[in-house]
Structure formats: structure tokens, C-alpha cells
């Protein structure tokens, strides 16, 4: 046994609460090392001495790149729990600790160590002091069933199945606001029927608040819709119509930084050290010089977006009120939070309390490009933009640098990085307003995008479509992937579609309908199956209603599954319900 590979940690993705009476425990070990794993648990305050111990066998739920993962969902019947793990080896050899290793040998794992013997005292084992309701992972139940659609408002539409592609400008308290292509809220309202036909049930909008630039990430006023996009009342109309059609609304919250026209920045510029807002920004030296001449912290290196000091209680209160305002006044369903990983974590804890005080199932979704473990805990985010999924699909379908087996094992590793409610709510995107269109990474090959979409729609997580993907729109650079939405089904007048847009949209509709009609694809378990072919991916999704098998042939050769006789054409897929 490789003892160094055995791992468990309390109060983490290895030990978490589904509710105040239900506990999930996980254990990691080296691949193939263990024949079985059991949890032995008891009541920390059991009046009987020695305390009564209960033994339950764990299930091996998946295999990652280097490890096996065991899991148990447990209702102990009491809230103060001690526990340890009983390990049975699978084969002969020499353990990493130098002990003779014999098949069937039993070991015990507690206090981070693998031992031959058990101590007498229960307090030497893993301890869950109390199963508190505040520490339950209360991810909104609707997230598992969600298919999200992301709209960059400037790019989408100006009318019914139409975009005039004309720049707009508007005045706001003496400032000139600009758009690039002129998309607006009215364009979204007049195309709600398109969203309904597509089958999505969550709409994520990039920033819609008053801001100077066309992308609207340099916010001026957080409590009004940008006049380039429309009026506050039009937004209220949009939300009502979307809700009427079964579509939830998630807004982009930009609280890491503001625009330079934001009132706090302007007050500092005017009053300098006398300004009551001088501590609203992070590392802002005084005197503050005009025209971005001061050396202050900002988003990336963009001086037009000075960085907020979210550790300031006044700043925290202000933006918590902003978060509540759009839920209370306009009935939105949650927030996607920009640059979430650069913001004080205590800010997010307070923010979650604030928005949940007005809507118990409001979602918090983080923009974190790297590993998001530190932010997706019970008192912070429910979900994150899953760029790990983007990278995995890129490596398998576009780059062809990993095998089907490595795809499955890497995906399993991602599942095990978070508690199950979080993993099944991950925003599984293929691209966004910030990265190249996936179809362009695939050499403008529609068949490869289709294979990636099959995987996106049939694996755990919240599928997220960037508007235009379903129209086969291309784009490598920012100017390209934010181009005007292609409304013509034949792609007439557009030189940036990889195939007939109507055909790709029909494909998306089919896959979205499949996901939404089968519970196994939304919340079922996943089991990757070795096909013996590096380019053929296969997995099963299982729930009480039944089992669904998915084959994806990422090669230019036909492949036949030996046992079932299923034949998959080159660059094609098969889903058996």
C-alpha cells in the first residue's frame, strides 16, 4: 500500500454536510491499492464506555489520474461524530512505509496516518464536533437542472431576429457613454421566443449597469441600466417575461473595481485627503492625479478600472445593498461575480448572507479561471466558471494531446475537488466573452464542436452556452468573438460562421432537450468506461429512472464496441437511453 497516497480531511470536500443530519465522507488512495474501505463511527458523547462503534462499507465512486476515491453518505443519528477508516489491501508487495504487504491485510487511518493498531481513546480519531445547519452546502436545487445561456448585450440584437450593428452613445450626468455594435435590452425582449425554442432555462447577462465603455465593466452607477441598453423599466419587463417563460436571470456583478466616473473615485479626485471615500479603493496614493497619472491598484493594468478596497466595511455594505437591490426591485435570480478571486473572502461571506436574506435560492457564481476550491465553500460561492472543463475539452477535442482515458480520469479529479452539490452546479462552458470561440480552436470544424457539446450536455455540471456558439460563430481575438450575433439561418452576409447556423442551432436544441428530459443526465452518477481506444470516450450516467450510455468517437475512423456491437462513425457520437 502506498500510505502516502491515503488522504482525508475534515470540513472539506472529503467531509461535508448535505443537510444537518446527513454527512458525506470520502477517502483517497493510490490506484488499485485497496480491496475495500469502511468507515467506523460513533457518538463523541456516547454515555456508554467504550463508545458504541458502527461499521459501514464505502463505495469506490471513481478513479482519477493517480488515485481511487471512496465515498459514503451517512446519517449517523447523532450530530457529534468521531470516525476512522478501516482499510483492506488488495495485493501483495511492499508498502511505502516498508511493511510487508499481504492481500487482505487490514490497516486503520486516523489523524492523517495509516496504522496497524487502534488507540483506546475516541478523541484520537477524526472528529466532527457538531453537524451545524449553517455549514450545509445549500446550493440552489435548480442549478442541477440548469442550462445556461450567456448574452453579451452589445452583440446580441436590436430587434426581432435582427441586429443593426450600429454604435450608440448616450449622456449620463455629463458623461458620454458608448456602445460598439448597439445591442440592447429590447433586442433580447423581442427574441425571448428564440431562447425558449432553444430550450435554455437560465440567462446570464454580462454587465448592464451604467458604464463608460461598450463592455460595461467600468461601472459608473450600479443601480441603473446603462442607457445604451435601455431603461430600468425595460429590464423589469425583460425579467418578468423571462420568468413567465421559465427562464431565470443571473446578472454580472463587477465589485472588484469601478470606472473612474464612479462617485467615490470622483469625490477623491475632487476632495483628495478630505474625501470620506479615500479608503474605498485599494492602494490609492494621495494626491490622486487626473487622467490616470497616479500609480494606483486597478483591474489587471487598466487604469480606467481602479480596484476597490472590499475589505472596507463601508464598501462591503454598499455592494451588499447593490446585490439585494436587483433581487428586491427586479426579482433577478442570482449573480455571476467578476474577478471573484481577487476580492476579500469575508466580503463574499457577507454578500451571500445579504442576497440570501431576500431570495433563499439566489445563486452565487464565481469568475475563477484556476482551481476554485478556496471560494466554493458553504459560506461563499455555489458555483464557478469551470475553465478546467474548457481546458479539458480543448486538450481532447482540439489539441488532441490527451487520451479518452485521461479525459475521464481528469474529469473525475475535478468532480472530487468539490462537494457533490458544488460539482453538479459547475458552470461547464466551452468558451465565453473572454476567450476564443471553441469552434475556432478546433480549426473551424463543426463536427468537433458537436462532439464537445455532446460531452457538455451529458456530463455533470451546468452547461453554459455563449450566445453564438449555437450559430457556429467563429472568433479568436476579442473583436472577433464579440462580433454581432448571426441571425440568418443560412449565414448570409456573414463571413464568420463555420457552417450553416440553422443546422448548428437544431443540433443544440436536440442536445438540450435530451438533457432536460432525462434526470440521469442532470443529477445521475457518472462512470467512465475503458474502450481500449485512445480516441473513443465512453461513460454511463445512472439514476433511479435508469441508465444512459454515451459514446464519442474523436477520430477519423469508424469504431465498433466489441461487446454491444455499437458502431460509431468518424467524428460522431451515439447516446443510448
Amino acid at each position: 500500500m502506498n500510505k502516502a497516497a491515503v488522504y482525508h480531511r475534515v470540513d472539506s470536500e472529503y467531509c461535508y454536510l448535505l443537510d444537518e443530519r446527513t454527512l458525506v465522507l470520502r477517502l483517497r488512495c493510490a490506484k488499485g491499492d485497496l480491496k475495500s474501505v469502511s468507515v467506523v463511527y460513533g457518538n463523541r458523547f456516547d454515555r456508554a464506555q467504550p463508545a458504541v462503534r458502527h461499521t459501514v462499507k464505502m463505495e469506490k465512486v471513481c478513479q482519477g489520474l493517480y488515485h481511487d476515491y471512496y465515498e459514503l453518505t451517512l446519517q449517523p443519528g447523532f450530530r457529534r461524530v468521531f470516525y476512522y477508516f478501516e482499510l483492506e489491501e488488495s495485493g501483495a508487495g511492499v508498502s511505502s512505509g516498508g511493511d510487508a504487504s499481504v492481500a487482505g491485510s487490514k490497516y486503520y487511518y486516523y489523524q492523517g496516518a495509516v496504522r496497524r493498531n487502534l488507540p483506546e481513546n475516541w478523541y484520537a480519531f477524526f472528529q466532527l464536533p457538531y453537524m451545524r445547519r449553517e455549514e450545509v452546502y445549500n446550493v440552489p436545487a435548480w442549478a442541477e437542472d440548469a442550462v445556461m445561456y450567456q448574452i453579451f448585450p452589445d452583440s446580441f440584437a436590436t430587434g426581432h431576429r435582427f441586429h443593426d450593428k450600429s454604435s450608440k452613445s448616450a449622456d449620463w450626468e455629463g458623461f458620454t457613454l458608448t456602445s460598439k455594435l448597439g445591442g440592447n435590452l429590447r433586442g433580447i425582449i423581442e427574441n425571448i421566443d428564440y431562447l425558449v425554442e432553444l430550450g435554455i432555462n437560465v440567462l446570464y447577462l454580462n454587465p448592464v449597469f451604467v458604464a463608460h465603455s461598450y463592455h460595461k465593466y467600468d461601472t459608473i452607477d450600479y443601480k441603473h441600466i446603462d442607457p445604451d441598453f435601455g431603461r430600468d423599466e425595460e429590464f423589469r419587463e425583460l425579467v418578468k417575461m423571462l420568468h413567465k417563460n421559465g427562464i431565470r436571470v443571473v446578472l454580472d456583478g463587477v465589485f472588484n473595481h469601478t470606472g473612474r466616473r464612479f462617485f467615490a473615485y470622483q469625490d477623491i479626485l475632487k476632495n483628495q485627503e478630505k474625501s470620506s471615500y479615500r479608503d474605498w479603493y485599494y492602494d490609492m496614493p494621495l494626491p490622486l492625479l487626473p487622467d490616470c497619472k497616479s500609480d494606483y491598484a486597478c483591474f489587471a493594468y487598466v487604469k480606467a478600472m481602479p480596484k476597490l478596497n472590499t475589505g472596507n466595511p463601508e464598501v462591503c455594505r454598499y455592494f451588499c445593498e447593490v446585490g439585494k437591490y436587483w433581487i428586491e426591485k427586479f426579482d433577478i435570480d442570482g449573480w455571476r461575480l467578476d474577478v471573484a478571486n481577487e476580492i476579500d473572502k469575508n466580503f463574499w461571506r457577507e454578500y451571500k448572507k445579504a442576497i440570501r436574506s431576500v431570495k433563499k435560492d439566489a445563486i452565487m457564481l464565481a469568475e475563477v479561471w484556476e482551481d476554485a476550491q478556496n471560494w466554493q465553500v458553504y459560506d461563499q460561492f455555489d458555483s464557478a466558471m469551470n475553465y478546467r472543463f474548457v481546458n479539458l475539452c480543448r486538450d481532447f477535442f482540439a489539441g488532441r494531446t490527451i487520451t479518452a482515458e485521461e479525459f475521464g480520469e481528469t474529469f473525475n479529479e475535478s468532480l472530487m475537488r468539490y462537494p457533490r452539490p458544488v460539482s453538479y452546479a459547475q458552470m461547464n462552458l466551452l468558451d465565453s466573452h473572454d476567450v476564443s470561440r471553441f469552434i475556432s480552436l478546433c480549426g473551424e470544424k463543426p463536427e468537433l464542436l458537436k462532439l464537445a457539446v455532446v460531452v457538455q450536455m451529458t456530463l455533470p455540471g451546468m452547461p453554459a452556452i455563449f450566445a453564438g456558439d449555437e450559430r457556429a460563430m467563429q472568433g479568436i481575438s476579442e473583436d472577433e468573438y464579440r462580433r454581432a450575433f448571426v441571425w440568418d439561418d443560412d449565414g448570409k452576409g456573414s463571413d464568420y460562421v463555420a457552417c450553416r447556423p440553422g443546422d448548428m442551432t437544431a443540433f443544440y436544441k436536440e442536445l438540450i432537450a435530451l438533457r432536460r428530459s432525462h434526470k440521469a443526465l442532470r443529477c445521475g452518477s457518472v462512470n467512465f468506461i475503458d474502450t481500449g481506444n485512445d480516441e473513443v470516450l465512453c461513460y454511463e450516467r445512472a439514476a433511479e429512472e435508469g441508465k444512459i450510455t454515451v459514446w464519442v468517437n474523436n477520430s477519423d475512423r469508424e469504431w465498433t464496441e466489441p461487446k454491444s456491437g455499437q458502431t460509431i462513425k468518424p467524428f460522431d457520437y451515439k447516446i443510448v437511453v
Side-chain angles (χ1 to χ4, degrees):
M1 182 198 308
N2 182 353
K3 294 180 180 179
V6 180
Y7 183 75
H8 173 83
R9 183 164 64 91
V10 179
D11 194 20
S12 73
E13 68 275 17
Y14 287 88
C15 172
Y16 61 91
L17 301 181
L18 291 179
D19 57 53
E20 55 190 299
R21 299 185 184 279
T22 307
L23 170 68
V24 177
L25 297 174
R26 288 175 179 166
L27 182 95
R28 188 196 75 187
C29 66
K31 273 186 182 180
D33 256 10
L34 300 181
K35 182 179 179 181
S36 70
V37 179
S38 296
V39 172
V40 183
Y41 69 96
N43 188 339
R44 295 178 72 233
F45 287 175
D46 195 333
R47 293 185 179 182
Q49 290 299 327
V52 176
R53 300 181 187 184
H54 311 270
T55 302
V56 184
K57 192 171 183 178
M58 302 183 80
E59 178 188 1
K60 182 179 172 180
V61 289
C62 70
Q63 187 174 75
L65 287 166
Y66 314 110
H67 302 102
D68 290 337
Y69 293 88
Y70 288 81
E71 185 175 281
L72 172 68
T73 300
L74 178 67
Q75 289 188 322
F78 37 83
R79 297 191 181 184
R80 301 174 176 90
V81 185
F82 71 82
Y83 61 95
Y84 59 89
F85 300 92
E86 187 175 274
L87 318 177
E88 183 179 354
E89 276 195 293
S90 63
V94 178
S95 75
S96 60
D99 299 330
S101 181
V102 180
S105 294
K106 287 191 176 180
Y107 293 84
Y108 305 99
Y109 179 67
Y110 57 93
Q111 287 190 339
V114 177
R115 307 289 190 189
R116 283 283 194 181
N117 301 303
L118 289 170
E120 293 183 3
N121 299 315
W122 60 263
Y123 48 79
F125 304 133
F126 291 107
Q127 305 291 322
L128 187 60
Y130 200 84
M131 296 169 66
R132 295 190 60 88
R133 64 180 65 98
E134 298 90 344
E135 297 177 5
V136 169
Y137 277 81
N138 54 351
V139 177
W142 57 262
E144 275 190 359
D145 298 327
V147 178
M148 178 179 279
Y149 191 77
Q150 177 191 351
I151 287 180
F152 191 77
D154 184 65
S155 302
F156 189 63
T158 53
H160 182 68
R161 307 296 194 272
F162 177 72
H163 198 309
D164 65 17
K165 305 177 187 177
S166 63
S167 176
K168 308 290 194 304
S169 62
D171 179 76
W172 183 266
E173 298 181 352
F175 305 133
T176 300
L177 315 176
T178 59
S179 67
K180 189 173 184 179
L181 298 173
N184 53 35
L185 296 183
R186 183 54 51 187
I188 302 173
I189 290 170
E190 294 189 13
N191 289 288
I192 287 177
D193 61 329
Y194 171 82
L195 303 180
V196 173
E197 291 169 9
L198 188 61
I200 62 97
N201 54 12
V202 179
L203 179 63
Y204 154 43
L205 289 174
N206 287 110
V208 293
F209 307 140
V210 181
H212 177 75
S213 302
Y214 85 98
H215 51 69
K216 307 303 176 187
Y217 280 93
D218 49 355
T219 315
I220 296 173
D221 191 320
Y222 287 88
K223 291 193 174 181
H224 289 288
I225 296 297
D226 189 289
D228 284 336
F229 294 155
R231 298 173 290 106
D232 292 359
E233 284 307 310
E234 281 182 294
F235 181 73
R236 181 174 281 108
E237 178 187 354
L238 172 63
V239 175
K240 284 183 178 180
M241 290 182 66
L242 288 167
H243 282 173
K244 185 178 179 180
N245 285 280
I247 300 173
R248 288 183 167 86
V249 183
V250 174
L251 288 186
D252 210 328
V254 187
F255 307 146
N256 173 69
H257 51 272
T258 70
R260 290 187 298 123
R261 302 298 185 183
F262 184 59
F263 75 88
Y265 185 95
Q266 288 293 309
D267 192 88
I268 299 170
L269 190 61
K270 178 181 178 181
N271 297 307
Q272 300 294 331
E273 67 276 358
K274 294 181 181 179
S275 172
S276 57
Y277 301 102
R278 61 186 181 275
D279 192 39
W280 273 48
Y281 288 92
Y282 203 87
D283 290 347
M284 179 170 283
L286 295 177
L288 176 60
L289 303 176
D291 303 321
C292 300
K293 293 179 180 178
S294 292
D295 185 20
Y296 51 77
C298 53
F299 167 69
Y301 300 99
V302 184
K303 288 295 187 67
M305 294 186 252
K307 185 176 179 64
L308 285 160
N309 178 16
T310 50
N312 181 335
E314 292 181 6
V315 174
C316 182
R317 282 193 294 271
Y318 176 84
F319 286 103
C320 284
E321 286 302 311
V322 169
K324 291 167 59 177
Y325 176 81
W326 290 94
I327 297 175
E328 290 176 323
K329 303 297 183 182
F330 297 86
D331 198 27
I332 70 164
D333 302 286
W335 292 89
R336 176 268 191 190
L337 288 314
D338 192 56
V339 203
N341 51 352
E342 288 193 19
I343 291 177
D344 175 50
K345 292 183 177 65
N346 286 323
F347 174 95
W348 293 131
R349 294 183 180 101
E350 294 303 314
Y351 190 83
K352 187 170 190 177
K353 291 176 186 176
I355 66 168
R356 288 288 177 85
S357 71
V358 292
K359 182 171 277 194
K360 291 182 179 180
D361 65 348
I363 201 166
M364 278 181 64
L365 199 159
E367 184 203 17
V368 178
W369 289 49
E370 62 277 5
D371 183 24
Q373 276 182 305
N374 291 339
W375 292 270
Q376 292 186 101
V377 290
Y378 55 81
D379 57 354
Q380 295 184 58
F381 287 92
D382 304 302
S383 173
M385 299 182 77
N386 194 0
Y387 280 99
R388 292 170 69 97
F389 182 78
V390 179
N391 296 337
L392 183 59
C393 290
R394 179 199 62 204
D395 291 346
F396 184 59
F397 295 109
R400 308 178 75 81
T401 58
I402 62 172
T403 66
E405 182 181 27
E406 289 170 324
F407 182 100
E409 291 175 341
T410 305
F411 187 86
N412 281 339
E413 293 282 2
S414 294
L415 282 183
M416 293 294 105
R417 295 190 77 79
Y418 308 108
R420 186 190 181 283
V422 175
S423 288
Y424 278 58
Q426 291 297 284
M427 182 179 166
N428 286 350
L429 62 158
L430 292 175
D431 47 39
S432 74
H433 66 294
D434 280 329
V435 295
S436 300
R437 295 273 183 183
F438 189 81
I439 198 169
S440 293
L441 297 179
C442 296
E444 319 301 355
K445 295 179 180 178
E447 63 272 22
L448 292 181
L449 173 61
K450 287 183 176 181
L451 295 185
V453 172
V454 168
V455 167
Q456 182 188 34
M457 294 294 169
T458 58
L459 281 178
M462 182 195 309
I465 305 159
F466 179 39
D469 286 349
E470 84 285 10
R471 307 297 286 172
M473 288 175 58
Q474 306 169 8
I476 293 293
S477 67
E478 182 176 294
D479 284 342
E480 292 174 342
Y481 51 73
R482 294 182 183 179
R483 285 183 289 203
F485 193 85
V486 177
W487 282 108
D488 186 273
D489 277 346
D490 292 319
K492 293 178 180 178
S494 172
D495 59 354
Y496 50 92
V497 293
C499 66
R500 185 177 180 273
D503 293 341
M504 186 61 79
T505 303
F507 170 78
Y508 266 84
K509 287 180 181 179
E510 179 184 343
L511 266 294
I512 292 170
L514 180 74
R515 181 181 181 88
R516 293 192 61 184
S517 61
H518 292 283
K519 190 173 182 180
L521 295 179
R522 303 192 306 275
C523 57
S525 62
V526 59
N527 176 38
F528 287 92
I529 300 168
D530 183 11
T531 64
N533 187 317
D534 287 349
E535 297 176 308
V536 179
L537 183 66
C538 180
Y539 50 90
E540 292 178 341
R541 299 295 309 276
E544 290 183 3
E545 66 166 11
K547 188 179 293 184
I548 295 176
T549 306
V550 180
W551 285 274
V552 175
N553 183 5
N554 187 35
S555 78
D556 58 3
R557 289 164 294 182
E558 186 174 271
W559 180 82
T560 301
E561 204 278 322
K563 293 182 180 179
S564 67
Q566 292 284 349
T567 297
I568 320 295
K569 295 178 181 179
F571 298 115
D572 204 355
Y573 68 96
K574 186 163 287 188
I575 301 173
V576 176
V577 178

